Amino acid sequence: MKKPKAPQPKLGGPTQKGQCAKRVSILDAAAEVFCREGFAGASIDEIAMEACVSRQTVYNHYREKETLFMAVVQDILDRANAALFAILATFPDNGANLEDDLTAFAVRLNKNCVCNHDGKFIRKLVQTEGERYPHLFEIWRQQGPGKIGTALAALFARLSHVARLDIDDFDLAAKQFLALVNADLQMTSFFGGTPTDEELEKSARAAVRTFLRAYGRPAVRKAGGVDELRQETA
């Protein structure tokens, strides 16, 4: 006579939910410890204590510290990319109010993707651990910086058809736009600070005006019967 099989946990049942909650707790705790202690200084015991789980539970989920570290980076990238593409969806689609629209977009980008907790966390890890453990950041290199540049280049290409923009190299223009909108905030971010809304607006406005001076196509305006060249950002 065959022994009855042990009941299997239903998909999404209490067992799976409990495992998922533990995994999230471990990832959150590991992120805090790695950020505070660095990769070399962090210990599984400290992470387990912060996550309120046993040391063995951490190993059951992630086998070793390196695997856990890469899982933390992936988790942050997943959240960061979700936020990023939500912001990219708000990119201007016409040139009616180009300076104001690009400025508002730059503010949203910095506030929600660059200066938020995840953005500051991943930058700190890259700055402190990237040189010593470059293989740990392969996921970040593949899925992080390159994605926003490529997506933004495509958006500028689309915008150039309906706005007064004169861009030959959209990839370069996207990189320059990102560099400009981040330029005034780097020192604040470097020391772990968070810029105010006023600082975000001021920085974004100055960056967009500089960008449009380089790429804004002059418009012809008639005044008193005389043709005049007028820069889009004048």
Side-chain angles (χ1 to χ4, degrees), residues 160-218:
S160 68
H161 290 294
V162 295
R164 293 187 178 280
L165 292 173
D166 188 6
I167 302 175
D168 294 325
D169 187 332
F170 294 107
D171 289 320
L172 177 61
K175 291 175 184 176
Q176 291 175 336
F177 181 83
L178 290 172
L180 286 168
V181 299
N182 290 327
D184 289 344
L185 306 176
Q186 288 182 355
M187 191 59 68
T188 301
S189 298
F190 182 79
F191 288 103
T194 300
T196 64
D197 289 345
E198 184 179 355
E199 289 172 331
L200 287 170
E201 167 71 25
K202 182 179 179 182
S203 173
R205 180 75 60 181
V208 168
R209 284 179 175 172
T210 301
F211 181 84
L212 290 179
R213 286 191 189 101
Y215 290 109
R217 190 168 67 240

Side-chain angles (χ1 to χ4, degrees), residues 32-64:
E32 293 299 322
V33 176
F34 282 131
C35 190
R36 185 171 65 241
E37 307 293 342
F39 178 75
S43 72
I44 294 297
D45 286 332
E46 188 175 2
I47 291 168
M49 186 179 299
E50 187 130 350
C52 298
V53 299
S54 70
R55 188 173 192 266
Q56 189 57 48
T57 298
V58 178
Y59 280 119
N60 288 345
H61 282 282
Y62 295 104
R63 300 193 310 277
E64 58 184 7

Side-chain angles (χ1 to χ4, degrees), residues 70-226:
M70 289 189 288
V72 168
V73 173
Q74 182 68 67
D75 183 56
I76 291 169
L77 274 174
D78 288 343
R79 290 201 305 267
N81 282 334
L84 169 62
F85 284 102
I87 298 302
L88 289 175
T90 69
F91 190 80
D93 57 5
N94 65 72
N97 298 290
L98 198 53
E99 181 184 315
D100 289 342
D101 290 346
L102 281 176
T103 297
F105 170 78
V107 169
R108 290 191 295 272
L109 185 65
N110 276 329
K111 188 171 186 177
N112 298 289
C113 299
V114 178
C115 299
N116 65 346
H117 181 269
D118 286 339
K120 289 190 287 187
F121 172 80
I122 198 67
R123 278 197 306 280
K124 182 176 180 179
L125 280 182
V126 171
Q127 288 166 0
T128 57
E129 307 293 329
E131 187 174 347
R132 285 180 291 180
Y133 307 102
H135 66 290
L136 297 178
F137 294 94
E138 189 60 32
I139 296 171
W140 178 78
R141 280 192 292 271
Q142 291 176 357
Q143 301 182 27
K147 272 192 171 183
I148 183 171
T150 302
L152 199 55
L155 291 170
F156 273 120
R158 186 186 70 185
L159 183 62
S160 68
H161 290 294
V162 295
R164 293 187 178 280
L165 292 173
D166 188 6
I167 302 175
D168 294 325
D169 187 332
F170 294 107
D171 289 320
L172 177 61
K175 291 175 184 176
Q176 291 175 336
F177 181 83
L178 290 172
L180 286 168
V181 299
N182 290 327
D184 289 344
L185 306 176
Q186 288 182 355
M187 191 59 68
T188 301
S189 298
F190 182 79
F191 288 103
T194 300
T196 64
D197 289 345
E198 184 179 355
E199 289 172 331
L200 287 170
E201 167 71 25
K202 182 179 179 182
S203 173
R205 180 75 60 181
V208 168
R209 284 179 175 172
T210 301
F211 181 84
L212 290 179
R213 286 191 189 101
Y215 290 109
R217 190 168 67 240
V220 176
R221 177 180 61 182
K222 286 191 176 183
V226 179

